[in-house]
Amino acid sequence: MCGIVGAVSKDKNILSILITGLKNLEYRGYDSAGVAYLKNNKINIIKSIGKVSKLENKIVKNDKSNIGIAHTRWATHGKATSVNAHPHRVKHITIVHNGIIENYEEIKEMLKNNNYSFKSSTDTEVGCALLNYYYEKFYDVDKTIKAFMDKVIGSYAITMIIDNDLDNLYVLKKESPLVIGISDNTNIVASDIRAILKYTNKYYILNDFEYAKVSADEVIIKSIKGEILNKELHTLDLKDNDNSKGHYKHYMLKEIMEQKTTILKTVLPFIEEGIDSLMTLPDLTKYKEISIVGCGTAYHAGLVAKYLFEEVTNTRCSVYLASEYRYQNNFLSKDTLTIFISQSGETADTIAALKLVKSKDCPTLGIINVENSTISYLVDTCLYTKAGSEIAVASTKAYTAQISLLSILVLSHGLRNKTISKDKAIDIIDEFKSIEKLITPLLNNKDMYLSIAKKIYKEEDIFYIGRGLDYYLSMEGALKLKEISYIHSESYAAGELKHGTISLIKKNTPVIASATNSNLNAKTISNLKEVLARGAVIYLICDDNYKDDTFTIINIPKVSDFIKPILVIIPYQLIAYYTALLKGNDIDKPKNLAKSVTVE
Ligand code: AGP
């Protein structure tokens, strides 16, 4: 998604801050970039298609400036062209913007009737012109911003420079994230504090309909009514946000390996003192049903929780894709708890679904990885995963942290509604406490994953299948592979293949499966035999000592259903990683993808 950086300084050359910040936001995904900065008393704008390094090469080496804004754009309205790239400038106003102005066409028509013309096809240029329109009407920034906020429908994080006010940046925010970093004689605006940790870990967070005047040594934050707000200055814990790759070739591999510690770190507060710690989790017995909402990997984590809620605690649980949730009957009720899962806490589809539930005054809970993110503020109760910064677009350690925290939540619920005995709960707690010992052999089995990757990386179609929990895990396995290897990989319920899709199986089609449910394994194996008979090559993860010379088998230890998903998904993560590595893809920043999808 788009990334924003703005800086104003008394004594620093802010250009290096802008470029460094953009490079630290690259993980969000983008296709063009640009900067606007004060040079010889004029606003100088430079834009480029492609990587930030290309933009950097266009900037005159010894250019110096004390105020500027910068942007990485993930194209929504209008192709990835220089004209559409940000910053946009209209008369007195220059801005960068993250979000979508939904009523931009109506506003554009109004502005055209007031003699405005437009060069780009972006909603952002319209927003910039609207700010200029109100600025020329009032010549008062507070009135300008209030009028803009009253007029615009949609989402925005905007950083603005006004021509005759060149000691200040102005920032305004609704739904898209924006923070203001504070350092000596230099203040820095960014979409994510992690982009500017080189300069500061102290920051203010803007909430919806708040705006700020940011100078080199002062930040004044106001509400849409113009009241000055006394905001909390947050400090990001640096030890949990090491944004370096360390000795790893890719962030994704580093983050897969970090699961040795991130899983236990996430659940430890709730299992450290055994059952007593579990009881500190929210009591779900007052709800008749559980709904879960998320996107992509977060949605897949919800499915694992569904399996456990329903099969272990006999609690009905529905899981919804956030992008679909608002457009269907979801039987909202005060007796239903809706859980929102999101690594970034900024996913627009998930935020929109959450706002719908809140509008009906129904209870919400968040499973979120980024502290002080939008969703973390909006939910009634927020439980944080402790995966640390996840930079790679393909989610790995956040997923296992999500399913672990959800599993512990189900475990506490099962104790409360007496579907799980204390002895069983203690056994599962012990399993979680030994998770590093359980997953290390799987993490270290590189030769196995590389040998599988060598056999599949030139294939065009790959199928992941399973039954029950294994089916839900096959969805995450297929997503991991497709999003970084660009191979078409699809998840299928093992029993469903023969109802049509089996027609796609041809000689050497890889079929990757997990069979970890003793009640279902025989059926899964027979489904695998069906595709084997039609030429498929089988790779099977299983937790018993099943032997079959016609399959490539990855054995995992027998554990409870609370831990099993973690052990199955690690081979899937690493098969995807090594397959993409052999293809030479940009593993951490796959094409077309963004780490945080902040537009619907
Ligand atoms: C995960 O590998 C994907 N990159 C993507 O599906 C992601 O899970 C989805 O966009 C949801 O993001 P969130 O968890 O930050 O809300």
Side-chain angles (χ1 to χ4, degrees):
M1 255 350 19
C2 303
I4 287 175
V5 184
V8 50
S9 176
K10 268 201 166 43
D11 51 21
K12 279 202 181 70
N13 171 19
I14 53 94
L15 280 171
S16 57
I17 297 174
L18 297 180
I19 294 299
T20 303
L22 287 190
K23 287 181 175 175
N24 290 336
L25 288 170
E26 285 189 295
Y27 75 90
R28 297 163 69 95
Y30 70 103
D31 33 50
S32 59
V35 290
Y37 55 97
L38 183 61
K39 176 180 177 182
N40 305 329
N41 258 331
K42 279 182 61 191
I43 297 296
N44 186 34
I45 296 180
I46 301 172
K47 306 181 187 183
S48 82
I49 310 303
K51 297 294 182 195
V52 171
S53 52
K54 272 182 68 181
L55 173 71
E56 187 177 17
N57 293 336
K58 282 183 158 183
I59 295 172
V60 173
K61 283 290 165 276
N62 56 7
D63 261 2
K64 297 222 178 311
S65 179
N66 73 306
I67 188 168
I69 55 180
H71 188 264
T72 49
R73 178 176 182 251
W74 190 76
T76 52
H77 295 74
K79 292 194 180 112
T81 63
S82 210
V83 170
N84 288 336
H86 303 199
H88 285 278
R89 179 174 171 76
V90 177
K91 297 186 180 175
H92 309 291
I93 305 289
T94 307
I95 71 168
V96 290
H97 165 230
N98 180 9
I100 286 188
I101 298 176
E102 291 174 12
N103 57 335
Y104 83 101
E105 282 153 333
E106 165 217 324
I107 295 170
K108 192 170 186 174
E109 284 314 303
M110 180 275 282
L111 292 168
K112 281 180 177 173
N113 296 335
N114 283 276
N115 303 318
Y116 281 83
S117 58
F118 296 89
K119 298 188 287 291
S120 80
S121 44
T122 66
D123 57 330
T124 301
E125 188 187 10
V126 172
C128 187
L130 184 66
L131 284 163
N132 188 77
Y133 170 79
Y134 287 131
Y135 186 67
E136 288 186 347
K137 183 175 177 183
F138 301 117
Y139 277 103
D140 175 294
V141 178
D142 290 321
K143 288 180 182 170
T144 295
I145 291 175
K146 180 174 183 343
F148 178 91
M149 289 182 160
D150 288 343
K151 179 70 178 174
V152 165
I153 299 167
S155 57
Y156 46 84
I158 288 175
T159 304
M160 165 169 70
I161 298 177
I162 302 174
D163 278 3
N164 61 2
D165 186 351
L166 291 171
D167 293 329
N168 299 298
L169 292 176
Y170 291 91
V171 293
L172 41 157
K173 187 255 189 218
K174 177 177 172 272
E175 296 181 8
S176 291
L178 203 59
V179 299
I180 304 168
I182 308 299
S183 75
D184 297 341
N185 288 327
T186 301
N187 290 323
I188 309 169
V189 176
S191 303
D192 180 347
I193 182 64
R194 288 158 189 78
I196 53 174
L197 283 180
K198 179 179 174 185
Y199 307 101
T200 182
N201 66 336
K202 299 196 179 330
Y203 62 108
Y204 292 111
I205 294 168
L206 283 190
N207 295 324
D208 285 357
F209 296 113
E210 292 178 355
Y211 64 98
K213 176 180 176 181
V214 182
S215 67
D217 53 9
E218 186 182 38
V219 175
I220 300 171
I221 300 174
K222 294 184 177 179
S223 71
I224 190 171
K225 296 190 190 101
E227 299 144 342
I228 293 180
L229 302 172
N230 184 17
K231 300 280 279 187
E232 178 191 352
L233 184 63
H234 297 274
T235 301
L236 188 75
D237 178 344
L238 291 174
K239 69 179 185 313
D240 284 347
N241 291 279
D242 164 19
N243 279 357
S244 71
K245 270 189 280 196
H247 65 279
Y248 292 99
K249 188 174 170 64
H250 296 101
Y251 281 108
M252 185 176 177
L253 187 57
K254 175 188 174 218
E255 290 156 9
I256 289 171
M257 294 303 163
E258 285 178 329
Q259 292 174 122
K260 277 185 197 160
T261 57
T262 51
I263 293 167
L264 186 57
K265 185 173 186 153
T266 294
V267 301
L268 198 57
F270 310 109
I271 62 172
E272 204 155 23
E273 306 301 327
I275 304 282
D276 292 347
S277 304
L278 271 182
M279 291 300 108
T280 62
L281 282 164
D283 179 356
L284 308 187
T285 53
K286 58 192 168 193
Y287 304 111
K288 287 201 182 104
E289 284 197 40
I290 304 289
S291 285
I292 298 178
V293 179
C295 301
T297 286
Y299 170 75
H300 296 154
L303 291 169
V304 171
K306 168 188 173 69
Y307 180 85
L308 295 171
F309 270 122
E310 294 189 337
E311 300 306 316
V312 181
T313 73
N314 198 34
T315 305
R316 186 186 296 275
C317 177
S318 304
V319 187
Y320 300 89
L321 287 168
S323 55
E324 291 289 313
Y325 184 75
R326 281 184 296 154
Y327 310 109
Q328 63 181 83
N329 184 354
N330 32 57
F331 305 99
L332 273 176
S333 143
K334 291 183 174 31
D335 296 330
T336 298
L337 171 68
T338 306
I339 298 175
F340 292 87
I341 305 174
S342 176
Q343 187 285 129
S344 63
E346 299 299 347
T347 299
D349 287 322
T350 310
I351 291 171
L354 171 53
K355 288 187 170 178
L356 170 68
V357 175
K358 285 176 67 74
S359 70
K360 308 290 185 194
D361 201 19
C362 292
T364 60
L365 180 143
I367 301 285
I368 309 297
N369 194 47
V370 176
E371 297 198 8
N372 298 315
S373 57
T374 301
I375 295 176
S376 72
Y377 276 108
L378 289 172
V379 289
D380 300 332
T381 308
C382 187
L383 296 177
Y384 282 114
T385 48
K386 301 289 184 187
S389 287
E390 188 176 69
I391 305 294
V393 166
S395 184
T396 52
K397 64 176 183 174
Y399 171 77
T400 51
Q402 288 161 357
I403 59 176
S404 301
L405 185 49
L406 285 158
S407 299
I408 291 299
L409 183 62
V410 173
L411 187 61
S412 69
H413 180 54
L415 269 174
R416 288 191 169 109
N417 78 355
K418 309 226 182 310
T419 49
I420 298 176
S421 69
K422 283 193 175 180
D423 290 347
K424 177 71 179 164
I426 288 166
D427 290 347
I428 291 163
I429 286 171
D430 289 344
E431 277 186 336
F432 270 106
K433 286 182 176 175
S434 57
I435 193 68
E436 182 172 353
K437 186 160 59 57
L438 285 166
I439 65 175
T440 298
L442 291 168
L443 289 169
N444 293 344
N445 198 358
K446 172 182 176 182
D447 294 344
M448 168 63 86
Y449 310 128
L450 195 50
S451 73
I452 293 172
K454 283 174 182 166
K455 290 175 192 153
I456 70 173
Y457 82 102
K458 290 182 178 163
E459 292 297 328
E460 289 175 1
D461 297 297
I462 296 179
F463 292 89
Y464 284 73
I465 69 171
R467 285 172 179 259
L469 184 57
D470 290 307
Y471 171 39
Y472 296 150
L473 295 168
S474 76
M475 291 181 191
E476 179 58 13
L479 175 61
K480 283 290 91 53
L481 183 71
K482 78 176 86 172
E483 68 177 326
I484 61 173
S485 73
Y486 314 148
I487 295 172
H488 168 245
S489 50
E490 209 166 321
S491 152
Y492 247 86
E496 187 59 16
L497 264 180
K498 57 186 174 296
H499 298 287
T501 303
I502 200 166
S503 65
L504 297 179
I505 302 294
K506 53 184 186 293
K507 184 156 177 41
N508 294 331
T509 300
V511 174
I512 302 175
S514 61
T516 62
N517 180 330
S518 46
N519 301 325
L520 299 173
N521 287 353
K523 292 183 181 300
T524 302
I525 298 297
S526 64
N527 296 138
L528 290 171
K529 294 288 187 188
E530 285 159 14
V531 291
L532 182 73
R534 288 159 177 80
V537 177
I538 309 297
Y539 304 91
L540 174 64
I541 298 172
C542 58
D543 63 352
D544 53 23
N545 49 10
Y546 177 75
K547 297 274 182 287
D548 188 323
D549 297 343
T550 59
F551 295 177
T552 298
I553 291 181
I554 299 174
N555 268 303
I556 61 171
K558 253 196 185 321
V559 292
S560 74
D561 284 350
F562 289 79
I563 296 282
K564 195 181 292 177
I566 299 167
L567 305 194
V568 171
I569 209 65
I570 284 173
Y572 283 169
Q573 291 170 346
L574 287 165
I575 287 168
Y577 174 78
Y578 287 109
T579 303
L581 190 66
L582 289 174
K583 295 195 71 126
N585 292 351
D586 184 348
I587 290 175
D588 288 331
K589 297 192 291 295
K591 66 178 178 174
N592 303 339
L593 293 182
K595 181 61 182 171
S596 173
V597 186
T598 55
V599 290
E600 290 186 38

